[in-house]
């Protein structure tokens, strides 16, 4: 009779067969086609959403001229919106004014309805008195002066002019103050009716190197 050896262990692990391969199961063609259709649907929905946004919420426009230097330069492309928009001082807006200048203009809102705006075209100090009687001088680090340009109003009233902004309108100026056709030009622009505002400038999209919010 042979003795049982406790150190003997029966190897019950099946032999590994190096030639055995796990079969690869490919996706059924119908499943791949279904996934492709899902991607197409998502793409179409995204395109439709963008079209709706740019039809009813956003618009694009191009800067024409130098009146907003150096904040905005000629030929730059902007995104604007008038969705639930109420004009505020300091906003940059695009509007379409009637009269001799029958084209969209881009300017900065200086006064709103009920404000009294005093402009010194010699120093370009701008003072605003609101409808509650509060008076303040605007801090405007963005103002630019084009060399060798003198404003048309510089020789009238000592260069100091006061404008009372009617309700429902805004008073606008270009950042390039002595080379801008704006509300100081009462013949061609004057006060801007709020219903003629196409939108507030939100972003600059070209040139791409300057892409971003506009202030």
């Amino acid at each position: 009779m042979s003795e049982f050896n406790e150190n003997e262990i029966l190897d019950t692990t099946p032999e590994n067969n190096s030639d055995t391969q796990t079969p690869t199961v490919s996706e059924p063609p119908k499943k791949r086609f279904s996934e492709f259709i899902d991607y197409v649907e998502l793409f179409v929905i995204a395109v439709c959403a963008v079209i709706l946004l740019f039809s009813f919420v956003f618009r694009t426009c191009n800067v024409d001229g130098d009146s907003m230097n150096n904040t905005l330069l000629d030929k730059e492309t902007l995104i604007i919106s008038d969705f639930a928009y109420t004009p505020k001082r300091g906003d940059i807006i695009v509007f379409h004014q009637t009269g001799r200048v029958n084209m969209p203009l881009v300017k900065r809102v200086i006064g709103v309805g009920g404000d009294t705006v005093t402009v010194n075209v010699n120093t370009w100090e701008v003072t605003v008195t609101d409808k509650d009687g509060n008076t303040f001088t605007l801090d405007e680090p963005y103002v630019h002066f084009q060399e060798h340009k003198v404003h048309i109003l510089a020789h009238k009233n000592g260069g100091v002019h006061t404008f009372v902004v009617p309700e429902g309108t805004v008073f606008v100026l270009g950042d390039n103050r002595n080379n801008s056709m704006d509300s100081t030009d009462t013949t061609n622009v004057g006060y801007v009716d709020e219903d003629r505002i196409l939108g507030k400038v939100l972003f600059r999209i070209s040139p791409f190197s300057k892409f971003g919010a506009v202030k």
Side-chain angles (χ1 to χ4, degrees):
M1 178 180 296
S2 62
E3 296 181 359
F4 175 76
N5 188 342
E6 293 182 354
N7 294 325
E8 291 182 0
I9 300 176
L10 297 178
D11 186 3
T12 59
T13 304
E15 293 184 0
N16 294 327
N17 188 345
S18 59
D19 296 332
T20 303
Q21 297 181 349
T22 303
T24 301
V25 180
S26 60
E27 293 184 351
K30 288 185 177 180
K31 183 178 180 180
R32 293 199 300 270
F33 181 75
S34 177
E35 291 179 348
F36 172 75
I37 293 299
D38 289 341
Y39 287 126
V40 171
E41 288 180 349
L42 288 174
F43 177 77
V44 171
I45 291 173
V47 170
C48 290
V50 170
I51 292 174
L52 289 173
L53 283 174
F54 278 88
S55 296
F56 299 102
V57 180
F58 301 110
R59 301 181 188 181
T60 60
C61 68
N62 294 322
V63 178
D64 184 8
D66 302 323
S67 69
M68 285 299 291
N69 289 3
N70 289 322
T71 305
L72 299 172
L73 303 182
D74 187 36
K75 307 305 181 186
E76 291 183 339
T77 303
L78 311 172
I79 291 180
I80 67 174
S81 176
D82 64 347
F83 181 74
Y85 176 62
T86 300
K88 297 180 179 61
R89 299 182 200 94
D91 290 349
I92 299 176
I93 62 170
V94 176
F95 59 94
H96 194 282
Q97 190 71 309
T98 58
R100 294 183 183 179
V101 186
N102 190 21
M103 61 181 293
L105 300 174
V106 55
K107 307 292 177 185
R108 188 181 296 271
V109 176
I110 300 300
V112 296
D115 287 347
T116 298
V117 180
T118 300
V119 180
N120 186 329
V121 299
N122 299 310
T123 63
W124 282 111
E125 182 178 85
V126 179
T127 302
V128 176
T129 301
D130 64 21
K131 62 179 64 177
D132 296 324
N134 302 307
T135 300
F136 47 91
T137 300
L138 299 186
D139 180 19
E140 300 185 290
Y142 43 76
V143 169
H144 174 75
F145 302 96
Q146 188 163 332
E147 294 181 1
H148 312 301
K149 288 284 185 178
V150 178
H151 196 275
I152 191 173
L153 296 180
H155 303 298
K156 297 180 181 180
N157 300 328
V160 180
H161 302 268
T162 299
F163 305 86
V164 180
V165 186
E167 293 291 344
T169 70
V170 295
F171 181 91
V172 298
L173 294 174
D175 286 358
N176 190 4
R177 288 293 160 84
N178 55 348
N179 189 24
S180 172
M181 184 181 294
D182 48 39
S183 290
T184 59
D185 184 343
T186 56
T187 301
N188 294 312
V189 180
Y191 304 112
V192 179
D193 291 336
E194 291 184 3
D195 59 6
R196 293 193 177 277
I197 297 175
L198 301 177
K200 175 185 176 181
V201 175
L202 301 178
F203 297 98
R204 174 174 25 223
I205 58 177
S206 76
F208 188 75
S209 60
K210 298 174 68 175
F211 178 89
V214 176
K215 296 181 181 180

